[in-house]
Amino acid sequence: MRIAVLSGVPAGSKAKVISITAGKGKVRRLMEMGILPGEILEVISNSVGPVIVRVRGSMVAIGRGMASNILVEVIGNESRLHHSDSGTS
Amino acid sequence: MKVDYTIAIAGPPNVGKSTLFNRLTGGEAHVANWPGVTLERKEGVLRHHDKLLKVVDLPGTYSLSANDLGELIAREFLVNERPDAVIVVVDATSLDRTLYLAIMLLEMYPKAVLALNMADAAEKRGIHVDLEGLEKRLGVPVVMISALKGVGVGSLLDRVLEVAEGSVGREEPLKVDYDGLEPYIAMLEDLLGDIPEKLGYPSRWLAVRLLEGDEHILDKVNELDSSLAHSINELIEKAKKELNISPDLLAIQSRYELIDQLVARYVTRVKLARPSLSEALDKALLNPLAGPLLATALILSTFFIIFTLNTGFPLNLLFDLLGMESIASAIEENSLSGLLGRLFESLSEQVKEGLLSSGSEEWLALLVSDGIIGSLGTLISFVPLLFFAYVIMGAFEDSGLFARAAVVYDRLFRKFGLSGRAFFPAVLGMGCNVASIISTRAMDDDRERVVTAMASPLIPCQARLVVLLALAASAFEDPLMQASLAVGIYLLSFIMFLIVSDLLNRFVFKIRIAPDLLMELPPYHRPSLRVIWWYARSNTEHFLRKAGWIIMALGISTWFLLNFNFNGYVGDNVTASFAASLGKALVPITSMIGLNDWKFALGFEVGFIAKEGLVVTFSNLAGVADPVKALRILGLTPLKALSMALAMNFYVPCLATVAALITELRRLKYVLITVGYQMILAFVLAAGVYWAGVMLGFA
Ligand SMILES: Nc1nc2c(ncn2[C@@H]2O[C@H](COP(=O)(O)OP(=O)(O)O)[C@@H](O)[C@H]2O)c(=O)[nH]1
C-alpha cells in the first residue's frame, strides 16, 4: 500500500481516494462528479497535461494542479510509482 | 394558444438532454437568456394527445448545489416556476454516476419522470434495467428512451402527462438516508419551523442544504428571519464536531450509497463489452506528443474542406501550383461565395435596370439595387460560411473529439493563462468570430470566458480569408508565395491569440493562473447527422436573428455615405461623397503603414461592416469586378499588400463581431478594450513590416 497524490500515479494503476484538499467549491464539484473519498479511480493517462481517470464508468480529465491536491492510496502497479512527483508542472 | 402544462428538462451534461429537447420540439426552439445572465434558455412547444406543452431546457449540471450559475438557475426555476412535470434525463449506460443529479432533484421536487436515455447503447452493451422495480423504489415513472433514435419518446410523454395531471407520481420529495446526519436534520427542521414553506423549499431538503454549507440558502433564510442565524450556525458546528467528518462529504456519500444500492438491485449486465476502438483512439489522441499533432491535423483537414466549399481556397491554389489554372478557376467560381456573389450581382443588376426603365430616379434605383440588395447579399453570404463552420464543429463536438483536443492543448494554453477549454472557441473562430464569441458561453470560469471572447476575434475568419486571398494573389504571381502569405498570417494570428490572452490576463484581470481543467470526456461515437443539423441550423438562425438587422442597417448607411454628401446624391462621383471625405481624413494614418491613398482608407471603413467589403469596395473604385485586378490597378505593391493584409487581419473585427461582443460581454469597457487593442496591434504590425520592408529596399 502506498499513499501518493493523484498526479504521481502512473497510467494503468488504480487508486482509492483518501482526501481532497482544495477550495470548497472545487472539492464539492469533484465529489459530485463521483471523485470522493472511498471511490476507486482508474488512471487512464498521466504524463504531462491533465490526468485522465475513469470513475464510475466515465472518463474525467482533471487538471494537474487539481490532481496534485487529491491524496490517494495506490492499489495496482506500485512498483512504477514516481516517488517524489508532486504533480505540479 | 394556451399552454396546458409547463415541462422542464433537467439532467447532467452529456446525457443527451439537448438531443431530447430537439427531438421533442423538432428543433424549433425559442432561445433567450436566463434573466441577468448570458446562459441560454431554450424553450419550445409541442402537442401530445391534444395537450399543448411548453418545454424548458434547464442548464446541464452535475448537481443542484448552486456551485455555479447553472445549478442555481436550475434550482430556482423549479422553486419559482413550479413546472407541472420535470423530465430528468440520465444516461442508462452510466447510471452509477448520472443518477446523482436525479436523486438531488427528486429530493427537492417530486413531480418528475426519470428518462433513462441511450437505450440503444445500453442494449448493445448488454445493460438491462428493471424499470418497474426502479419505478416502485423511486416513486416516479421511469422510462427507457433513445433520444437519438426517437425510441420511447411517445411513452415518455404519456408518463409526463400522467404526472402533470397528478394521476401518478410522488406527493412528497424523495428521502435519502443520511445516516449520522439524521439527528441534526431533525433538529434543524424543528428550528426552521415554517420558514421552508415560506421560501418554497421542502423542509428536509432545506435542512440538508444548510448542513452542507449552502450559502445561497443560508442567505435566504437570514433574509427572512435573521434571529435564527446564530442557532443554525451552532447546530452546523456541533454536527461537524460530533460527526468527525464534514457534513457535505457525508451527504454526498449517502447519495452515492443510495445510487450504488439502486444499481446493484435494478441494473444487470449480461455481457461486459469493452469499447476497444475507443481505447486505441484515446491512446493516440491523449498522447502528449502525437495528440496535439493529430488533433491539429484533423482540424486542419476539415477546414480545408470547409474553406474549399466556401471560397475555393486552398484547393484552387493547389491546382494552380500543378499548372491546371482552368480547374483552379472553376473551383473558385463554383465555390459558395463565388456562386452567391454572382447571384446577387445579377439580381442587383436586374433590379437596377428594371427600376431605371420604369422611370425611377437613379439614386433610388441604386439604393434598392446596391444598398439594400447588396447588404442582403453580404448578410446571405455569411450564411454558408457560418453554417459549414457549425456543421464541422458540430461533428467534432458530437464525436467526442473536441473534449480530447481540449485536454491535449491544456498544457500549451496554461502558459498563457487559459485552459484547454479555450481551444474550441479559438478553432471555431476560423469559421466565424461571432460563433466563437457565442461559444465561450460554455466556459465555466468567468475570467477565462471573457478573455477568450476578447482575444478570439484575432483568429482570421472566413470573410478575412477571402480578402487575404485576393491580397495574396495581387501581390504574388507564384501560388506558393500566395499560400505562404495566407498560412503565415494564420500562424501569426494564433500566436497573437495566445499572447493577447496572456496580456489581458496580466493587465486587465491581473490573474495569471489558468483555471483548473475539470471535464468529462464523453465516449466517442459516430456523429449523428440529425444532431449536427439541429446544431448548425439553430446556431445560424440565432446569428441571423441577432446580427441580421445590424448588418442590414449598417450596410445601407454605408451605401449612403458612399453615395451622398451635404448636397445630396453624388452620382458617379464617389470622390465627392461623405465616405471619401472620411477616407481622406484617415489618409495621414494609413500613410504610416504605406497605404497613402484615400481609396485604401475607404476600404478599411467599409471592411468594418464585413471584412469582405474591402475587396468589394476596391472593385467598385477601380471599376473592375475581379478584386485582384482591382488591387493592381489601385497600385498595390507586394510590400503594400503585405502591410494591408496584416492591417486588415488584425484591425477591428467586423460589425457582427462587435455586436456579439456587446451582447455577450455586457461590459462596454471590455468591448472598447477589444476594439482598441486590435486597432493598435493592426497598426503596429503593419507599420513595422512596411517600414522594415522599405529599409530593406523592397518598396
Ligand atoms: N447512442 C445514443 N447517443 C445519444 C442519445 N442521445 C444523445 N446521444 C448522444 O450523446 C451526446 C450528448 O448529447 P447532447 O444532447 O449534446 O447532451 P447534453 O449535454 O445532455 O445536452 C451526443 O453526441 C448525442 O448524439 C441516444 O439516445 N443514444
Side-chain angles (χ1 to χ4, degrees):
Chain A
M1 190 190 91
R2 169 153 251 142
I3 308 294
V5 288
L6 183 61
S7 52
V9 181
S13 326
K14 288 195 172 161
K16 186 170 167 183
V17 179
I18 299 174
S19 69
I20 308 171
T21 47
K24 190 168 173 279
K26 281 183 188 167
V27 175
R28 210 182 154 92
R29 169 55 58 79
L30 275 168
M31 295 202 294
E32 291 188 318
M33 284 177 87
I35 299 160
L36 68 162
E39 200 68 49
I40 292 177
L41 313 177
E42 187 185 337
V43 181
I44 302 289
S45 141
N46 181 6
S47 49
V48 284
V51 180
I52 295 163
V53 298
R54 197 195 302 279
V55 52
R56 292 184 166 253
S58 307
M59 302 242 288
V60 178
I62 307 170
R64 274 203 103 61
M66 206 187 263
S68 64
N69 289 329
I70 302 176
L71 203 63
V72 296
E73 176 190 327
V74 185
I75 308 177
N77 261 355
E78 286 178 43
S79 54
R80 279 169 53 203
L81 189 68
H82 310 290
H83 284 268
S84 54
D85 187 350
S86 68
T88 41
S89 53
Chain B
M1 221 166 44
K2 200 187 149 295
V3 171
D4 294 295
Y5 297 116
T6 301
I7 311 296
I9 306 184
N14 298 316
V15 295
K17 209 164 61 67
S18 337
T19 311
L20 178 65
F21 178 83
N22 284 321
R23 170 69 68 183
L24 291 178
T25 58
E28 301 283 340
H30 170 76
V31 183
N33 284 338
W34 293 95
V37 294
T38 47
L39 212 66
E40 248 167 45
R41 171 175 175 150
K42 282 199 292 182
E43 272 184 31
V45 287
L46 80 120
R47 197 171 275 287
H48 188 68
H49 294 326
D50 288 336
K51 293 277 189 268
L52 196 65
L53 309 180
K54 180 169 92 171
V55 188
V56 182
D57 192 20
L58 299 181
T61 58
Y62 290 105
S63 89
L64 294 174
S65 314
N67 283 328
D68 61 31
L69 213 58
E71 296 185 2
L72 190 62
I73 285 171
R75 176 161 111 186
E76 294 306 291
F77 177 85
L78 296 176
V79 178
N80 297 332
E81 302 197 26
R82 309 225 146 248
D84 298 293
V86 184
I87 302 173
V88 195
V89 189
V90 298
D91 178 351
T93 66
S94 167
L95 286 173
D96 51 357
R97 217 173 48 83
T98 54
L99 272 176
Y100 187 84
L101 176 90
I103 297 296
M104 268 206 122
L105 191 136
L106 290 178
E107 282 184 271
M108 179 182 169
Y109 203 74
K111 294 178 81 171
V113 177
L114 186 62
L116 311 184
N117 190 27
M118 317 243 182
D120 53 319
E123 193 186 2
K124 268 196 208 127
R125 291 210 226 157
I127 296 169
H128 179 81
V129 184
D130 172 5
L131 299 177
E132 265 173 52
L134 194 56
E135 180 160 339
K136 268 212 194 86
R137 174 65 182 83
L138 291 178
V140 298
V142 179
V143 190
M144 196 83 172
I145 63 164
S146 167
L148 191 65
K149 310 251 143 108
V151 178
V153 175
S155 42
L156 170 67
L157 287 174
D158 290 345
R159 307 303 305 269
V160 166
L161 281 186
E162 286 171 20
V163 169
E165 281 155 4
S167 57
V168 298
R170 303 184 68 94
E171 302 276 321
E172 293 292 314
L174 180 75
K175 270 193 179 171
V176 173
D177 178 5
Y178 284 112
D179 197 25
L181 225 47
E182 290 294 345
Y184 305 98
I185 298 174
M187 281 187 267
L188 257 179
E189 278 196 78
D190 265 356
L191 193 66
L192 290 167
D194 64 350
I195 288 179
E197 201 181 324
K198 282 188 190 149
L199 289 173
Y201 301 105
S203 131
R204 180 179 164 85
W205 181 88
L206 196 80
V208 175
R209 290 305 315 156
L210 285 174
L211 282 166
E212 285 187 81
D214 187 323
E215 272 153 32
H216 175 256
I217 291 292
L218 190 61
D219 287 348
K220 279 201 149 183
V221 172
N222 280 342
E223 247 170 59
L224 204 67
D225 187 349
S226 56
S227 67
L228 286 177
H230 183 67
S231 2
I232 290 173
N233 266 331
E234 233 169 33
L235 235 167
I236 297 173
E237 288 309 316
K238 189 165 123 97
K240 272 187 197 160
K241 220 181 326 161
E242 293 176 358
L243 285 170
N244 241 336
I245 170 173
S246 86
D248 59 339
L249 173 57
L250 189 58
I252 296 172
Q253 264 172 345
S254 307
R255 287 181 202 120
Y256 271 114
E257 249 159 53
L258 170 62
I259 291 168
D260 287 340
Q261 282 167 18
L262 294 175
V263 171
R265 184 124 182 233
Y266 303 111
V267 182
T268 42
R269 284 169 181 268
V270 288
K271 63 178 177 209
L272 210 87
R274 282 216 140 194
S276 58
L277 177 67
S278 134
E279 263 168 34
L281 260 176
D282 265 342
K283 263 223 163 64
L285 273 171
L286 296 175
N287 181 295
L289 285 176
L293 290 178
L294 261 173
T296 311
L298 259 171
I299 286 161
L300 282 186
S301 51
T302 44
F303 267 100
F304 187 100
I305 300 171
I306 321 182
F307 285 172
T308 298
L309 275 174
N310 282 337
T311 68
F313 172 86
L315 201 60
N316 58 346
L317 277 186
L318 214 65
F319 278 105
D320 243 355
L321 266 177
L322 297 172
M324 294 184 254
E325 282 91 2
S326 57
I327 301 186
S329 62
I331 291 174
E332 224 168 284
E333 276 162 25
N334 290 307
S335 69
L336 276 165
S337 64
L339 289 172
L340 279 173
R342 280 209 304 285
L343 181 74
F344 273 92
E345 213 168 286
S346 74
L347 186 68
S348 115
E349 200 57 37
Q350 272 167 20
V351 169
K352 188 166 85 187
E353 270 163 32
L355 283 173
L356 286 176
S357 65
S358 66
S360 82
E361 277 186 61
E362 188 187 334
W363 74 267
L364 193 65
L366 280 170
L367 170 64
V368 175
S369 68
D370 289 3
I372 297 175
I373 297 180
S375 309
L376 198 64
T378 308
L379 182 63
I380 302 290
S381 68
F382 261 120
V383 173
L385 301 188
L386 207 61
F387 186 79
F388 278 111
Y390 273 125
V391 165
I392 299 283
M393 293 297 133
F396 268 123
E397 178 81 319
D398 196 36
S399 67
L401 277 170
F402 253 117
R404 271 78 180 175
V407 170
V408 293
Y409 274 97
D410 188 59
R411 190 157 152 253
L412 172 68
F413 278 32
R414 299 196 83 74
K415 301 204 162 70
F416 301 90
L418 298 174
S419 79
R421 281 182 184 273
F423 181 72
F424 183 70
V427 170
L428 194 53
M430 290 206 282
C432 171
N433 293 153
V434 174
S436 67
I437 290 167
I438 293 175
S439 78
T440 59
R441 285 181 178 180
M443 303 173 81
D444 43 28
D445 185 274
D446 231 30
R447 184 240 334 174
E448 186 182 23
R449 168 170 190 241
V450 174
V451 168
T452 308
M454 288 171 76
S456 68
L458 288 170
I459 308 284
C461 61
Q462 294 181 83
R464 268 176 276 180
L465 176 64
V466 175
V467 185
L468 189 57
L469 295 175
L471 284 169
S474 77
F476 304 109
E477 291 289 346
D478 182 359
L480 198 62
M481 288 297 288
Q482 297 176 13
S484 318
L485 174 61
V487 171
I489 294 270
Y490 270 86
L491 267 179
L492 182 64
S493 302
F494 271 92
I495 295 170
M496 283 299 158
F497 168 77
L498 291 174
I499 294 178
V500 166
S501 299
D502 189 45
L503 294 176
L504 289 172
N505 277 323
R506 275 172 207 242
F507 298 111
V508 180
F509 297 92
K510 310 221 164 28
I511 304 175
R512 290 187 51 200
I513 303 160
D516 263 314
L517 190 76
L518 178 62
M519 62 188 263
E520 198 184 329
L521 302 182
Y524 290 109
H525 71 106
R526 194 157 39 91
S528 140
L529 283 179
R530 181 180 261 120
V531 171
I532 296 172
W533 162 245
W534 280 330
Y535 177 81
R537 192 186 81 171
S538 73
N539 277 300
T540 311
E541 273 179 12
H542 190 54
F543 163 78
L544 283 178
R545 255 202 306 271
K546 236 176 159 166
W549 69 269
I550 304 186
I551 292 177
M552 284 302 287
L554 272 132
I556 294 167
S557 327
T558 320
W559 182 87
F560 271 105
L561 285 180
L562 280 165
N563 288 281
F564 277 74
N565 67 14
F566 286 114
N567 301 323
Y569 181 59
V570 296
D572 271 344
N573 187 15
V574 188
T575 358
S577 67
F578 283 126
S581 322
L582 203 62
K584 282 170 197 155
L586 286 176
V587 169
I589 299 173
T590 56
S591 300
M592 286 190 249
I593 58 171
L595 306 171
N596 48 354
D597 187 331
W598 65 269
K599 289 173 184 152
F600 293 133
L602 178 62
F604 281 108
E605 285 168 39
V606 179
F608 171 62
I609 310 299
K611 290 267 166 106
E612 64 266 40
L614 265 158
V615 284
V616 179
T617 312
F618 295 144
S619 295
N620 285 343
L621 290 174
V624 289
D626 181 0
V628 178
K629 274 193 210 120
L631 285 167
R632 291 206 178 121
I633 291 174
L634 294 175
L636 207 64
T637 63
L639 183 60
K640 287 183 180 181
L642 186 59
S643 159
M644 184 181 265
L646 285 165
M648 176 284 297
N649 191 57
F650 289 108
Y651 89 110
V652 204
C654 68
L655 195 73
T657 305
V658 175
L661 282 170
I662 294 172
T663 56
E664 292 299 309
L665 297 181
R666 291 167 178 237
R667 287 274 302 273
L668 194 59
K669 181 178 146 199
Y670 296 152
V671 181
L672 291 179
I673 291 177
T674 309
V675 172
Y677 89 71
Q678 288 216 290
M679 294 300 247
I680 295 170
L681 186 65
F683 183 80
V684 168
L685 284 173
V689 166
Y690 179 73
W691 289 109
V694 168
M695 275 185 247
L696 293 173
F698 285 113

